[in-house]
Amino acid sequence: YLTLEQTGLLASAVEQSENKMLRFIVLFLIFTGARKREALDARWQDIDWDKRSWRIPKTKSGKIRHIPLSVGALQLLATLRDLSLPPGTVSDALQTEWARRHIFANPKTGLPYVSFFYSWDAARKRAGLPDLRVHDLRHSFASYLVNAGRSLYEVQELLGHADIKTTSRYAHLSRERL
């Protein structure tokens, strides 16, 4: 999992990417612990701003899952919303059409990314983390929570794991915490 220093290096590296959506995708994965495909398939209509929650209608387990959104995740989404929603949008039809859009749409196609490997690969190498996988961000999320004092049960719920054994493989305690 990523240390705080490595997280900073990665954040800086994705900021420099030619793929302008990469920084949003990577930070969202770190903020939520979501699976890559869950994030890429997310739509604006799945965000409940009032409840500060993200509804994932299609998960690996086939069950609907709700993820509480941190202040950082909400700020990231608000920034993306402001970039993607046409200024002065007032018509209900346009608002409804926009809500169906993918949050992390490829600007060239308007569709969710199938892959962002090349921009990810360049960013992780630039950060000095050539072996870091996108899925490792999920491990980092779990580890940050456990090291902040959250229980494995809480982390299990957030990650959507059916078995606590899976969660225990994700959550790594730091030496300082021990």
Side-chain angles (χ1 to χ4, degrees):
Y1 71 98
L2 293 172
T3 65
L4 290 178
E5 180 185 351
Q6 290 170 326
T7 303
L9 291 171
L10 181 63
S12 176
V14 297
E15 233 2 270
Q16 299 170 37
S17 177
E18 290 180 21
N19 178 346
K20 297 304 175 198
M21 195 57 73
L22 183 66
R23 71 183 172 120
F24 295 109
I25 295 168
V26 169
L27 291 176
F28 191 73
L29 291 171
I30 291 171
F31 284 140
T32 62
R35 293 176 180 94
K36 177 177 69 171
R37 193 74 256 156
E38 291 171 342
L40 294 181
D41 289 341
R43 295 176 185 267
W44 287 110
Q45 65 194 15
D46 298 325
I47 303 298
D48 186 329
W49 295 94
D50 294 330
K51 292 182 182 174
R52 299 171 42 145
S53 178
W54 169 33
R55 179 181 174 271
I56 304 175
K58 183 180 174 187
T59 64
K60 185 178 174 181
S61 67
K63 297 178 183 176
I64 294 172
R65 193 164 98 238
H66 291 85
I67 295 181
L69 296 171
S70 66
V71 171
L74 287 166
Q75 288 173 341
L76 179 142
L77 289 171
T79 300
L80 263 176
R81 179 190 58 198
D82 294 346
L83 292 173
S84 67
L85 191 60
T89 302
V90 289
S91 98
D92 288 342
L94 194 55
Q95 289 273 354
T96 302
E97 186 272 322
W98 174 82
R100 290 190 191 117
R101 290 186 189 166
H102 289 91
I103 295 172
F104 303 105
N106 182 329
K108 294 178 184 172
T109 65
L111 299 172
Y113 284 90
V114 174
S115 173
F116 54 87
F117 176 78
Y118 294 108
S119 54
W120 165 256
D121 190 45
R124 69 183 177 168
K125 288 175 181 171
R126 192 169 35 253
L129 304 163
D131 297 325
L132 183 68
R133 300 166 304 158
V134 171
H135 195 73
D136 294 334
L137 302 178
R138 196 162 151 81
H139 287 258
S140 296
F141 173 80
S143 298
Y144 297 152
L145 290 175
V146 168
N147 285 303
R150 296 295 181 194
S151 72
L152 275 183
Y153 176 74
E154 290 171 299
V155 177
Q156 176 188 8
E157 285 294 311
L158 291 170
L159 293 178
H161 289 153
D163 189 343
I164 196 81
K165 290 178 187 175
T166 304
T167 308
S168 67
R169 289 196 315 262
Y170 275 67
H172 311 279
L173 285 173
S174 70
R175 289 193 173 132
E176 293 80 19
R177 179 78 182 161
L178 292 171

